[in-house]
Every structure is written in C-alpha cells, then in structure tokens.
Amino acid sequence: MQERLRKAFRSLSGQFCWVIVAAAIPFGATWPAQDCGPLFIPSVLPDTKINSPEQVSGVSFSMSPGPLQPQLETLLQQHLQVQSVVWLAATEHHWPSRYQLQANDWDSILERLLEPYQLRVLLHANHTAVVDYLPQLGGGW
C-alpha cells in the first residue's frame, strides 16, 4: 500500500507540491521530502479599474445567444469594411449569452471574440476576410 502511494505521488510530484496529512502515512514510514518553489507575489500589481458606463471609451459590439458565424460576419462587414467572408471553420460554433464586448479598437474586439473558439481572421486587400482555425491546433473538430 505504501509503495503504491509513493509511486502515485512521485508521478505527480513534477507538477504539484503536495501537503500530506500525517494520518495518511504511518509514523515509521520514510517519505522523500520535496521542496516547493517559493511563492512569487509581484511587488507591483496591475492597475485594475472597474469602468462605469460613463468612463468606457473606445468601441463596443453586442453579441446575442446563437450561431457565431452571422454575428462575426456582421462585425466584419459593418466595422472592418469587409465585403465578402470565406468561412472555413465549423458552422456549429455558438455564442452562449447576451454580452457587450468593449475594447479600445475593433481589432481588440475581434481578438476577444475569436479567442475562445481558437479562430483567426485573415483580412485581405480586396475586402475579403477568411475565417479559419489557428494553425497550431490543426483545424477544429
């Protein structure tokens, strides 16, 4: 039993520092001690502000529950001068709720919208946008 516990904890030891309750190990057992890394707390924390509606500047885009494709196409056509969208991603992506995306510019809005789906948009000079998956993920479903 002790050997199985040791093997289990050793396999996880590279990822976690474990605190072991003394009752779980008999008093006579030896256990290899492992040092946990120091806790790092930055001396300067990022300046986080909660903006009231009057303080928000930049741009915003409203999302509704439903398919992602038509909402993303609307954003591209209305705010980024795209005339044609080539959709190479799965059409089954859905936005889950009503949400107001806010950012300093349209590129940031687009980035926030695409990130959870691991999508990218390639904008071309002929006013065409191609929507597909980020290359490192190997393409969707």
Side-chain angles (χ1 to χ4, degrees):
M1 180 69 172
Q2 285 181 339
E3 189 59 33
R4 286 183 23 196
L5 282 174
R6 285 184 183 153
K7 285 182 182 178
F9 281 100
R10 281 185 191 150
S11 68
L12 295 173
S13 67
Q15 299 172 359
F16 302 99
C17 292
W18 293 89
V19 176
I20 301 171
V21 178
I25 300 175
F27 289 124
T30 59
W31 194 264
Q34 180 180 1
D35 293 334
C36 292
L39 177 62
F40 174 72
I41 300 174
S43 59
V44 178
L45 295 175
D47 186 21
T48 306
K49 295 179 184 175
I50 299 174
N51 295 327
S52 66
E54 301 85 38
Q55 294 175 323
V56 175
S57 62
V59 296
S60 65
F61 187 74
S62 296
M63 294 293 293
S64 300
L68 178 67
Q69 182 177 356
Q71 296 183 78
L72 180 56
E73 288 178 355
T74 298
L75 170 68
L76 293 169
Q77 292 167 347
Q78 288 181 356
H79 302 290
L80 296 172
Q81 294 74 41
V82 170
Q83 295 172 4
S84 177
V85 178
V86 178
W87 192 273
L88 301 178
T91 57
E92 291 82 14
H93 292 297
H94 279 33
W95 188 263
S97 63
R98 293 193 180 280
Y99 189 72
Q100 185 80 15
L101 290 163
Q102 298 177 341
N104 292 331
D105 54 37
W106 291 110
D107 289 342
S108 298
I109 292 271
L110 190 59
E111 184 179 319
R112 291 171 127 188
L113 180 60
L114 298 174
E115 185 178 17
Y117 302 96
Q118 298 298 307
L119 295 172
R120 69 176 178 176
V121 173
L122 301 173
L123 299 171
H124 297 280
N126 64 352
H127 299 280
T128 300
V130 178
V131 179
D132 67 352
Y133 291 97
L134 293 171
Q136 68 267 23
L137 295 179
W141 305 98

